[in-house]
Each structure stands twice: as structure tokens, then as C-alpha cells.
């Protein structure tokens, strides 16, 4: 858990504290310098590689289903593990483009990865967990134990 500490960018806070406390923080100086010197055109295509995929958790009668939207990956890019009751799903994708021409050489590379973890309920048959990946959607099926499956509603007659 992290604690957020507010900083004063303008340095115009009116207090009775010393002048040292009224100076802007070092990170805000960098923000001010970089923000004024470089426009967004240099960082608009910057990929931090830390975005998390959208997830749907579905509770069906016989199973739980975890769906993740992760287009652009191959089946071999995924790492799915169950450690005790923790299901971890991760993927790593590296790409590199090299172009050489008489006039120029261009070399670009990218890296993207994520890792999501889920607590698996005790009602899941962990030996029967399966996964499939089609059209950019990763589905992980977690079948429920027989005693956890939803039973049909029973009507009780009054005597």
C-alpha cells in the first residue's frame, strides 16, 4: 500500500513555514521543464507496457469463467498457473522491427506484459481447470464441485 503525498507545483502556498518548504518539489520541476520543452508528439505513441486487460468473471451453474480481452498474443505467450488457491495469468510480448534503406536506418522495439491474479474458491475442481484462446479472448474455465453446483428449486407442499 502506498501513501500519496501532495506536492505544490507553483510554490505559492501561503503559510508561516520557512521558505524551504515553499519551494516546488524536484519531480514537479521535471514536470514543468519537460512539459514546456517537449510536446505530446514525442510521447503520444509511448507504450508503458503496464496496461491490464479487461476481465469478465462469469458465475454459471456448473462453472466459473474468466474472460480476458488480450488481442495480439499467441497461445505460447501466456503463463497460467495455480499456486494453492491463487490463479495467476500473465503474458509477455516482445517485438522488434529493423528497416534499413540507403538513406536511413530505423530500429523500433516494444515490450508489453501483464499479470493478473485471482483467488480461486474452494468450490472449484482445480484438477479440471482448462483454458482456450480464440480471436483475442482468453477464457479460463473453472468447473465447480458437485456440491457447489446450483440445485434446481424444489417446491414444498404444505400438509
Amino acid at each position: 500500500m502506498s501513501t500519496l503525498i501532495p506536492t505544490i507545483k507553483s510554490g505559492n502556498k501561503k503559510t508561516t513555514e520557512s521558505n524551504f518548504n515553499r519551494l516546488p518539489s524536484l519531480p514537479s520541476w521535471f514536470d514543468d521543464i519537460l512539459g514546456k520543452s517537449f510536446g505530446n508528439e514525442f510521447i503520444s505513441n509511448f507504450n508503458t507496457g503496464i496496461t491490464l486487460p479487461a476481465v469478465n468473471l462469469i458465475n454459471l451453474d456448473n462453472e466459473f469463467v474468466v474472460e480476458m480481452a488480450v488481442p495480439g498474443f499467441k497461445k505460447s505467450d501466456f503463463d497460467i498457473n495455480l499456486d494453492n488457491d491463487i490463479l495467476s495469468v500473465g503474458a509477455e510480448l516482445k517485438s522488434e522491427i529493423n528497416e534499413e534503406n540507403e538513406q536511413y536506418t530505423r530500429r523500433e522495439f516494444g515490450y508489453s506484459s501483464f499479470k493478473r491474479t485471482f483467488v480461486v474458491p474452494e468450490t472449484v475442481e482445480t484438477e479440471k481447470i482448462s483454458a482456450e484462446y480464440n480471436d483475442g479472448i482468453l477464457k479460463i474455465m473453472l468447473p465447480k464441485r458437485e456440491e457447489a453446483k446450483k440445485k434446481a428449486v424444489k417446491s414444498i407442499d404444505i400438509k
Side-chain angles (χ1 to χ4, degrees):
M1 176 184 265
S2 62
T3 305
L4 298 177
I5 301 171
T7 59
I8 304 164
K9 284 188 122 180
S10 65
N12 293 331
K13 183 178 179 185
K14 294 182 181 180
T15 64
T16 57
E17 298 171 357
S18 70
N19 286 338
F20 178 75
N21 290 334
R22 291 177 24 196
L23 292 174
S25 67
L26 187 59
S28 71
W29 278 350
F30 285 122
D31 290 344
D32 291 342
I33 292 169
L34 292 176
K36 292 176 185 169
S37 300
F38 301 107
N40 288 337
E41 66 273 4
F42 292 107
I43 59 172
S44 63
N45 293 325
F46 182 69
N47 181 3
T48 60
I50 58 170
T51 57
L52 293 176
V55 174
N56 293 329
L57 299 174
I58 305 165
N59 185 357
L60 301 173
D61 291 341
N62 296 326
E63 67 183 354
F64 296 102
V65 178
V66 178
E67 292 180 330
M68 294 182 143
V70 283
F73 288 88
K74 297 179 295 204
K75 291 178 184 180
S76 60
D77 294 331
F78 293 102
D79 184 25
I80 303 172
N81 293 306
L82 183 66
D83 185 11
N84 292 324
D85 291 332
I86 305 295
L87 176 71
S88 64
V89 182
E92 183 175 23
L93 182 63
K94 297 177 185 178
S95 64
E96 188 171 324
I97 300 171
N98 285 324
E99 282 188 25
E100 292 191 24
N101 193 336
E102 295 175 12
Q103 305 283 327
Y104 67 92
T105 299
R106 181 180 81 151
R107 185 173 187 175
E108 294 184 11
F109 54 92
Y111 177 81
S112 180
S113 70
F114 73 89
K115 185 169 187 175
R116 300 285 307 254
T117 58
F118 306 91
V119 176
V120 176
E122 293 178 9
T123 58
V124 170
E125 288 192 54
T126 56
E127 301 80 27
K128 295 183 179 179
I129 294 175
S130 62
E132 61 184 41
Y133 180 66
N134 291 313
D135 297 328
I137 303 294
L138 176 67
K139 285 186 181 181
I140 304 170
M141 287 69 69
L142 300 108
K144 294 180 180 178
R145 296 178 193 248
E146 195 60 40
E147 63 270 13
K149 293 180 182 177
K150 187 175 180 180
K151 308 283 191 265
V153 177
K154 179 182 176 184
S155 179
I156 301 173
D157 294 330
I158 302 174
K159 296 181 183 181

